Amino acid sequence: MKSKLINKLVLAILMLMPLAVSAQEYSVIVHPSNEAAFDSEEVKRIFLVKQKTFSNGKQALPVSIKPPSDKRDAFHSKILEKTDSQLRTYWAMLVFSGKAVPAKEVENEREVVELVATNPNVIGYVSSSAVNEQVKQVLNF
């Protein structure tokens, strides 16, 4: 009787493991010299160009990954709290009115890391596994 229960528990644990392994973590990164304070609301305001500077007063230059990208989708839903459709509409209105332009877009997270590592004003997002000693992780999502 106990062995059947143990077998069921082991099976249940094994079935849940792929869910835990597939859960990807992402990070917002900046240059290591950037001493600004960060929270998800500030990052959201920077990427929606409602705030053009970091909390330390220095210019903020957001960088995004071109679609299709799971990193981009996660960032949009978890940090910006918008769908791609909502963001396209948002940017169309801002660009048409001349108020702002969207974040620079790059092909992949390697380019995001390179830009952040070489420019203290750049802020971007990547998978947490892509974070290295050349950049500083300031927010996880």
Side-chain angles (χ1 to χ4, degrees), residues 87-104:
L87 282 167
R88 280 193 299 274
T89 301
Y90 176 82
W91 286 114
M93 291 179 352
L94 286 179
V95 169
F96 181 75
S97 68
K99 292 182 179 177
V101 294
K104 176 180 178 162

Side-chain angles (χ1 to χ4, degrees), residues 3 13 23 28 31 49 51 68-69 73 78-79 82 91 93 128 131 139:
S3 65
I13 291 169
V28 174
H31 191 272
V49 193
Q51 178 176 327
S69 166
D73 295 342
K78 293 180 181 178
I79 301 296
K82 295 188 182 297
W91 286 114
M93 291 179 352
S128 294
V131 175
L139 185 68

Side-chain angles (χ1 to χ4, degrees), residues 34-65:
N34 190 328
E35 296 298 325
F38 293 93
D39 61 23
S40 59
E41 188 58 33
E42 176 151 348
V43 172
K44 178 180 179 177
R45 293 181 58 72
I46 289 169
F47 273 85
L48 294 177
V49 193
K50 293 180 178 183
Q51 178 176 327
K52 296 182 181 182
T53 60
F54 295 116
S55 63
N56 61 9
K58 296 187 178 180
Q59 181 184 20
L61 302 172
V63 173
S64 189
I65 299 173

Side-chain angles (χ1 to χ4, degrees), residues 62-69 71-72 103-116 122-126:
V63 173
S64 189
I65 299 173
K66 290 181 181 178
S69 166
K71 295 146 198 71
R72 178 185 176 102
K104 176 180 178 162
E105 291 185 341
V106 297
E107 294 295 328
N108 54 51
E109 66 185 0
R110 181 186 51 77
E111 290 183 51
V112 174
V113 171
E114 287 175 7
L115 285 170
V116 169
V122 174
I123 182 171
Y125 55 87
V126 295

